[in-house]
Amino acid sequence: MSDFVTIVNSSFDNGIPFWIYTSDYIFGMVPVDASGARWKEISYTFEEPDNPLFITERAADLSFQFLLEEVEKGVSFYVDDLKVPMIKEFAKTLEGKPGPEKINAIIAELINNSSKYSSKFPIIKSKDELSSLTSKI
């Protein structure tokens, strides 16, 4: 648990992270360094008693794909009005761009325009909201 809290509390150190939460888990993508070339994927599953925290590190391109998959397939299961086709449409506008640019652009889009995609998108929009993640565990 303390590892998770440390990651959450430092998640804005190298840029803007992506954090979403559901009734079953928390999912995050956190930049490893300021260049945005590598990202940590974090998931914390509430009902997993032995090892609720999963962390892996990937290049930006692959992290972008995993982030999209999580939103389109994972979050859409919990958010009934999530407009997945609109998210896919925005993601297509990023094709051909470098990985760091793509992942930063999709995160900025989902944070800044979350209401365009859902009336109840469970996303953390600022550093001030991080305590809502740590209070869930």
Side-chain angles (χ1 to χ4, degrees), residues 12 21 24 47 135:
F12 278 83
Y21 54 91
D24 294 328
E47 297 299 318
S135 68

Side-chain angles (χ1 to χ4, degrees), residues 100-117:
E101 191 176 329
K102 285 196 304 194
I103 194 164
N104 282 310
I106 193 75
I107 290 171
E109 174 68 13
L110 293 174
I111 288 173
N112 296 327
N113 299 307
S114 59
S115 61
K116 174 177 163 183
Y117 300 105

Side-chain angles (χ1 to χ4, degrees), residues 9-118:
N9 289 339
S10 65
S11 63
F12 278 83
D13 290 357
N14 293 314
I16 306 297
F18 177 80
W19 288 108
I20 53 173
Y21 54 91
T22 71
S23 55
D24 294 328
Y25 68 95
I26 296 170
F27 174 86
M29 282 286 182
V30 177
V32 173
D33 58 37
S35 74
R38 297 200 58 80
W39 291 72
K40 274 187 190 173
E41 176 185 333
I42 298 100
S43 63
Y44 191 97
T45 308
F46 302 128
E47 297 299 318
E48 190 68 42
D50 296 333
N51 194 9
L53 182 61
F54 173 79
I55 304 168
T56 190
E57 187 177 313
R58 298 188 180 96
D61 275 320
L62 199 51
S63 293
F64 173 79
Q65 292 172 14
F66 274 86
L67 187 152
L68 279 179
E69 184 175 335
E70 184 59 39
V71 171
E72 294 169 2
K73 295 181 176 150
V75 178
S76 64
F77 180 77
Y78 295 89
V79 180
D80 58 2
D81 71 341
L82 188 64
K83 296 176 180 82
V84 172
M86 286 179 67
I87 295 170
K88 287 181 177 181
E89 195 175 296
F90 179 80
K92 280 188 181 194
T93 68
L94 303 173
E95 287 178 5
K97 296 186 186 294
E101 191 176 329
K102 285 196 304 194
I103 194 164
N104 282 310
I106 193 75
I107 290 171
E109 174 68 13
L110 293 174
I111 288 173
N112 296 327
N113 299 307
S114 59
S115 61
K116 174 177 163 183
Y117 300 105
S118 169

